[in-house]
Amino acid sequence: MIKMDLHVHSSFSKRPSQWILQKINCPESFTRPMQVYRIAMGKGMTHVTLTDHNTIHGALSIAHLPGTFISEEITTYFPEDGCKVHVLAYRISESQHEDIQKVRPNIYELAAYLNLENIFHAVAHPLYAVNDRLTLNHVEKMMLIFRNFEINGSRNALQNGILEKSLTAVTEADILKLAEKHRIDPLFPDIWNKNLIGGSDDHSGLNVARTYTRIPGTGNLNEAFRHMETRRSDVVGKSATPLTMAHNLYGIAYQFYCDRFNVSRHVQSDPLLRFLDRSLKAEPDDELSVMSRIYSFLSHRKRKRRTDDETGSITGLIRRESQRLMEERPDIIGSGEEGLNTEARGRRWFEFVNHISNKVLSSTADRLLNAFAGANLPDIFHTLGSVGSLYTLMAPYFVAFSQFNKDRGVAAELALACGVRDVSENSGGKTVRMAHFTDTYYDVNGVALTLQRQVAVALKNNKQLTLITCDEKDRADVNGVAHFKPVGVFDMPAYNGLRLFYPPFLDMLNYCHGMDFTHIHTATPGPIGLAALAISRILKRPIIGTYHTAFPQYAQYLTGDAMIEDLTWKYTLWYYNQLDWIYVSSKNSKLELTEKGIKPSKIRVIERGIDITSFHPSKRNGLMAERYGIGEGVTALYVGRVSREKNLAVLVAAFKNVCRSLSNIRLLVVGDGPYREDMSRELADYPCFFTGYLSGEDLHAAYAAADFFVFPSTTDTFGNVVMEAQASGLPVIVTDQGGPVENMIPGTTGLAVKGDDRLALVAAMTTLYTDETRRIEMGKAAREYMETRSFESAYIATWKLLEFPEPEPREEAVLFKAG
């Protein structure tokens, strides 16, 4: 039996394709040819070859060793549009290599030359767009001029699976159709009989022979290549993951710095470098000598004293956290790598980078938000500038996840064209799978309740929705909810009870990639919303955002600082301008965002619904009177957060006025918040009852127990409670500003008054108190109106905005199996 990794790079591959390596002027590999030979043989390969880019120098340097032969990876192009393709050529001579360099600019001339010379060759990573120009048309043309295709060990399982099944499905009739379509004659007979080879595409030495070609039944190399031409070989190994690719990139970069700055001389004296050496080199440096251990101990003592005095620089923080991790988390660092396969080493490295980046992210975010809360512009810009170090630390993962998601379109088109359906349940991208990021799922407000209902409705209707949220408590598993522990928490100084959670970004990114979401939805522009935005860009998914809170106005209410409001507006507009679509619940919100500079074409006004079964007039059961001692009379109700930005100071003043002229009226306040203590003190001598936060049947009963609802806020973009009140049969009083006024019918289901106008609010409350007949008629009209606004029907209608129809066949992408 012969086993050989047919795609490996050495230090003779000089020009990297990844921008992150280009940025540091790093070659794409630092593995010496002799190292590749030792590693491959050590992993059971019987033969070794090198496939460096457009050079055979690496292969020639080990050509004297047993079991080797000369090969290369050729860069070629479709002359009609410059699409770049890589082709692997094996067992070539030096003169053939020179000829190849002359013809390689034209893929058709290259294929013809390789066939004329009887050189065994294969298309490398056929579904990877090397220069982002690859389309299904190019893949079809390659099928007309190449027989052999590579299952590439650095690409994902979906791509490799689609490729394998698609090539197996190709028939003679398909080839004839493609030949007619592209006006290209097949390069040789029976070209529809495709062969597969396997190679690791290793650049760092860490994954040599992870994927390889096995040819049973022979020990002769000549015979082995004849077997491969006739499908008597097989590909062995695992496809890669983004963690694999990122581990490789870190390995290449580390090896580059070791070579450039002679880092190896410090490895024996630095525990962190020793860990890096074990993790990022295929062949780590030798174990320490006794004298080196002594020197290492003394150096560690000096380093410890020095780092204790370091300032809060990002670089210093990264080093300190690395050293702390080495001392506190031996499960991540480990004592050695010798028992781990490459996949396990990649996972361990991910855990290390994830832990360090989370610590640095938390510290950086604290500094930035503290500077923002104090309006300290120099600190804000200084902290933003230092974020570059954190980005550099995590960049290989950003690159890896992005690379693994950029060629989904071509793979999906090929799967559809060849009738491949069972590689991935969503390989064609037809089923909407939504990741909805929120920081309010566990809160006690209308947004949180709406999200909780969305999860329930999605599950009931078989919609693939996952709420992704974050808070510090241990939460029970909930179907449809992915809960992450935050890496840090920031308490907003001006907003009692509001906490910002810093999400574990790499964990979330890895999770979203694994779940193969098709769409990202963000319900917040906060840290979790920033994570959603970054993930959508890295995974190349469309992102939708809901604008449900007037953050700039809240900032003004809470701080009284116009500059803070202006900064908040600038950030809010920047954030929502990054999104593909924006959902708003009212025309008022759309107009506000449009006037501030967001393109109207991005904004969609969506209808919101209400649970018309739970909120119902029949829920009036006397519970409020029994529990809170509310006697007979007319009850005005407020439900929501008890905070100043809801304009409750205006309600307090208006209610005092009403009480002076009307008897037997009372105010029921359901909810909690930072203004509750002041509000209860101001209304201590008035018939006002505070229930605190209510939910479930208690909340339903509170609505039904009242006679009318009053909501003085001017900053709400929707006002879920206004719809709950109407569903419960209550007429409502709202202001003419914000979203609530669009979710009632002025004069029919309630009254709309001028915002921030105490006397207007007094007049409206007096009207509903004194005119019982009108109050009852409005309550009935409110209920009838809400019966047309079912939560389930509204949510399903919104979901359908994301679902797209079956794509129609296009002339330039003729389906192989289309009749």
Side-chain angles (χ1 to χ4, degrees):
M1 179 184 295
I2 285 180
K3 295 190 289 184
M4 47 190 176
D5 183 346
L6 290 175
H7 192 165
V8 188
H9 293 271
S10 77
S11 53
F12 285 91
S13 287
K14 299 293 185 182
R15 300 184 62 184
S17 57
Q18 306 295 347
W19 67 264
I20 189 171
L21 298 179
Q22 295 171 358
K23 193 171 182 66
I24 61 174
N25 297 316
C26 174
E28 64 179 321
S29 177
F30 262 93
T31 318
R32 307 298 183 205
M34 194 62 202
Q35 281 182 291
V36 175
Y37 184 83
R38 285 197 305 268
I39 294 168
M41 287 298 193
K43 291 187 175 182
M45 298 296 103
T46 60
H47 292 75
V48 178
T49 192
L50 296 176
T51 52
D52 289 313
H53 284 297
N54 305 310
T55 180
I56 59 174
H57 289 308
L60 285 172
S61 71
I62 58 170
H64 61 287
L65 298 173
T68 62
F69 51 93
I70 299 171
S71 310
E72 71 176 309
E73 183 173 14
I74 307 160
T75 301
T76 186
Y77 300 85
F78 280 95
E80 56 267 35
D81 56 18
C83 176
K84 185 188 291 187
V85 177
H86 289 166
V87 176
L88 300 160
Y90 301 100
R91 304 182 75 202
I92 60 176
S93 66
E94 292 183 65
S95 61
Q96 286 173 327
H97 163 70
E98 295 299 328
D99 291 338
I100 286 170
Q101 298 311 300
K102 296 174 184 176
V103 298
R104 74 176 178 85
N106 185 314
I107 193 171
Y108 305 109
E109 295 178 6
L110 173 67
Y113 173 80
L114 295 174
N115 278 285
L116 180 65
E117 291 289 303
N118 199 28
I119 295 171
F120 187 89
H121 59 281
V123 181
H125 39 69
L127 300 182
Y128 171 55
V130 181
N131 63 346
D132 297 325
R133 296 186 182 183
L134 185 74
T135 66
L136 180 59
N137 278 332
H138 296 111
V139 178
E140 291 174 348
K141 292 173 184 178
M142 286 190 281
M143 287 183 176
L144 293 169
I145 59 177
F146 294 105
R147 182 193 298 279
N148 307 311
F149 292 78
E150 180 199 29
I151 298 295
N152 186 278
S154 71
R155 307 315 303 166
N156 63 53
L158 175 63
Q159 269 192 15
N160 284 332
I162 288 176
L163 178 68
E164 181 176 1
K165 290 181 177 292
S166 297
L167 293 178
T168 302
V170 173
T171 65
E172 180 179 4
D174 297 327
I175 293 296
L176 293 176
K177 287 179 185 177
L178 293 180
E180 181 180 357
K181 172 187 172 182
H182 295 292
R183 301 185 183 278
I184 297 174
D185 293 330
L187 203 53
F188 44 84
D190 73 346
I191 197 170
W192 54 89
N193 289 324
K194 303 297 183 185
N195 303 316
L196 295 172
I197 68 163
S200 66
D201 199 2
D202 177 80
H203 290 72
S204 65
L206 296 170
N207 289 283
V208 173
R210 176 188 173 94
T211 301
Y212 62 91
T213 304
R214 179 175 61 191
I215 308 98
T218 183
N220 180 275
L221 192 60
N222 290 330
E223 193 173 50
F225 275 95
R226 287 197 295 271
H227 283 195
M228 285 193 289
E229 286 277 14
T230 53
R231 293 187 176 182
R232 286 182 288 169
S233 62
D234 54 289
V235 177
V236 180
K238 292 184 177 180
S239 296
T241 68
L243 305 193
T244 313
M245 176 180 279
H247 189 212
N248 267 322
L249 291 173
Y250 281 107
I252 296 167
Y254 175 71
Q255 292 166 31
F256 165 67
Y257 282 114
C258 285
D259 182 84
R260 184 171 180 180
F261 301 110
N262 196 17
V263 173
S264 297
R265 62 184 174 146
H266 301 293
V267 167
Q268 295 183 344
S269 61
D270 190 317
L272 176 58
L273 287 178
R274 287 206 304 277
F275 168 68
L276 297 178
D277 218 52
R278 291 199 310 269
S279 301
L280 302 177
K281 277 187 176 180
E283 295 181 319
D285 288 345
D286 294 333
E287 287 298 315
L288 303 179
S289 65
V290 175
M291 289 303 296
S292 296
R293 290 175 186 273
I294 295 173
Y295 178 74
S296 172
F297 173 76
L298 295 175
S299 298
H300 175 71
R301 293 287 300 274
K302 291 179 181 178
R303 261 194 322 274
K304 184 173 179 58
R305 289 195 297 270
R306 183 173 65 252
T307 55
D308 286 342
D309 297 330
E310 281 182 348
T311 62
S313 70
I314 296 293
T315 305
L317 182 60
I318 291 172
R319 184 165 189 88
R320 287 198 305 277
E321 287 300 331
S322 300
Q323 291 171 344
R324 182 177 293 115
L325 181 64
M326 295 177 67
E327 297 168 2
E328 298 176 358
R329 293 291 305 275
D331 57 312
I332 292 181
I333 298 300
S335 58
E337 304 295 321
E338 54 274 5
L340 300 179
N341 59 32
T342 54
E343 194 166 3
R345 291 177 73 184
R347 284 197 303 269
R348 174 174 284 183
W349 179 255
F350 174 80
E351 291 173 5
F352 171 76
V353 175
N354 187 35
H355 182 91
I356 299 303
S357 61
N358 283 343
K359 291 290 187 180
V360 177
L361 175 64
S362 178
S363 176
T364 304
D366 277 344
R367 290 168 56 189
L368 182 61
L369 288 173
N370 276 314
F372 182 81
N376 189 330
L377 290 178
D379 273 5
I380 291 173
F381 292 118
H382 175 74
T383 304
L384 287 173
S386 67
V387 169
S389 297
L390 177 61
Y391 178 80
T392 301
L393 174 66
M394 303 167 71
Y397 284 108
F398 301 162
V399 171
F401 280 100
S402 178
Q403 287 289 320
F404 266 65
N405 286 273
K406 79 169 190 171
D407 299 319
R408 290 166 54 90
V410 174
E413 285 186 84
L414 181 63
L416 181 64
C418 293
V420 175
R421 302 294 184 190
D422 60 341
V423 175
S424 167
E425 62 185 67
N426 203 40
S427 62
K430 296 173 189 172
T431 301
V432 172
R433 287 208 281 260
M434 173 73 74
H436 194 141
F437 287 73
T438 177
D439 53 7
T440 58
Y441 183 77
Y442 300 109
D443 288 354
V444 287
N445 55 40
V447 173
L449 291 174
T450 298
L451 292 172
Q452 292 162 16
R453 291 186 190 118
Q454 286 179 0
V455 172
V457 170
L459 289 171
K460 177 183 175 183
N461 290 274
N462 297 314
K463 302 299 181 184
Q464 298 192 34
L465 170 71
T466 301
L467 259 293
I468 296 179
T469 189
C470 190
D471 85 354
E472 58 191 343
K473 294 182 180 178
D474 291 323
R475 301 287 184 178
D477 291 338
V478 176
N479 198 6
V481 178
H483 172 256
F484 291 84
K485 282 290 188 72
V487 301
V489 181
F490 184 81
D491 293 294
M492 292 294 287
Y495 198 85
N496 185 31
L498 179 62
R499 315 186 78 195
L500 296 181
F501 298 107
Y502 308 150
F505 181 75
L506 286 180
D507 282 328
M508 284 184 169
L509 176 61
N510 194 34
Y511 174 80
C512 289
H513 171 78
M515 291 295 291
D516 195 23
F517 292 116
T518 62
H519 293 73
I520 304 292
H521 195 133
T522 170
T524 169
I528 293 174
L530 285 173
L533 176 60
I535 288 170
S536 76
R537 292 295 178 256
I538 292 170
L539 299 185
K540 305 186 186 307
R541 303 293 193 271
I543 181 169
I544 309 104
T546 302
Y547 181 73
H548 60 71
T549 304
F551 293 102
Q553 292 91 324
Y554 276 27
Q556 166 65 18
Y557 265 106
L558 295 170
T559 66
D561 190 326
M563 186 177 73
I564 291 294
E565 181 184 14
D566 184 59
L567 286 173
T568 307
W569 261 123
K570 283 182 169 59
Y571 169 73
T572 299
L573 294 173
W574 170 84
Y575 181 81
Y576 282 98
N577 265 319
Q578 307 309 306
L579 309 183
D580 296 300
W581 307 300
I582 303 165
Y583 288 168
V584 296
S585 301
S586 67
K587 295 176 183 176
N588 178 275
S589 293
K590 179 175 182 177
L591 179 62
E592 179 183 44
L593 293 179
T594 301
E595 288 178 344
K596 291 291 185 179
I598 292 180
K599 294 179 181 178
S601 58
K602 279 190 172 188
I603 306 173
R604 299 180 179 181
V605 180
I606 59 169
E607 183 177 279
R608 295 272 290 272
I610 194 69
D611 182 353
I612 57 176
T613 301
S614 297
F615 295 96
H616 195 278
S618 65
K619 297 299 177 77
R620 190 180 186 110
N621 56 16
L623 177 66
M624 293 297 105
E626 177 184 334
R627 183 178 295 178
Y628 299 102
I630 301 175
E632 294 295 324
V634 177
T635 301
L637 173 69
Y638 168 83
V639 178
R641 181 172 172 83
V642 184
S643 54
R644 289 187 180 275
E645 75 272 9
K646 298 294 185 181
N647 255 19
L648 291 183
V650 176
L651 176 59
V652 167
F655 184 63
K656 286 180 178 180
N657 277 25
V658 169
C659 287
R660 294 189 190 105
S661 59
L662 302 174
S663 60
N664 213 17
I665 186 171
R666 56 277 179 102
L667 176 63
L668 183 64
V669 178
V670 177
D672 211 340
Y675 184 55
R676 176 176 172 175
E677 185 176 339
D678 289 343
M679 187 176 181
S680 61
R681 184 170 53 251
E682 292 181 42
L683 294 175
D685 298 328
Y686 294 85
C688 182
F689 302 86
F690 293 85
T691 70
Y693 171 73
L694 297 180
S695 63
E697 289 301 319
D698 287 351
L699 178 62
H700 307 154
Y703 275 112
D707 296 289
F708 65 87
F709 186 79
V710 57
F711 195 67
S713 173
T714 60
T715 59
D716 277 65
T717 60
F718 175 58
N720 198 63
V721 291
V722 174
M723 293 184 68
E724 293 173 349
Q726 292 176 96
S728 301
L730 304 186
V732 297
I733 300 173
V734 302
T735 71
D736 58 359
Q737 298 176 35
V741 70
E742 296 181 31
N743 290 299
M744 51 87 68
I745 305 175
T748 301
T749 69
L751 302 173
V753 301
K754 186 177 180 182
D756 299 310
D757 190 325
R758 172 181 57 84
L759 295 179
L761 192 56
V762 169
M765 294 174 71
T766 301
T767 296
L768 292 184
Y769 173 88
T770 56
D771 193 340
E772 182 179 6
T773 301
R774 188 179 186 190
R775 187 173 73 232
I776 293 172
E777 288 176 351
M778 280 186 167
K780 290 179 179 178
R783 174 62 198 180
E784 291 174 0
Y785 176 47
M786 285 300 103
E787 286 175 351
T788 67
R789 301 285 296 272
S790 158
F791 184 90
E792 185 167 342
S793 62
Y795 182 68
I796 296 304
T798 301
W799 188 274
K800 286 181 178 178
L801 293 174
L802 304 174
E803 295 176 333
F804 37 88
E806 184 84 17
E808 297 181 2
R810 296 174 298 175
E811 182 180 353
E812 68 271 22
V814 175
L815 305 185
F816 294 167
K817 305 299 178 184

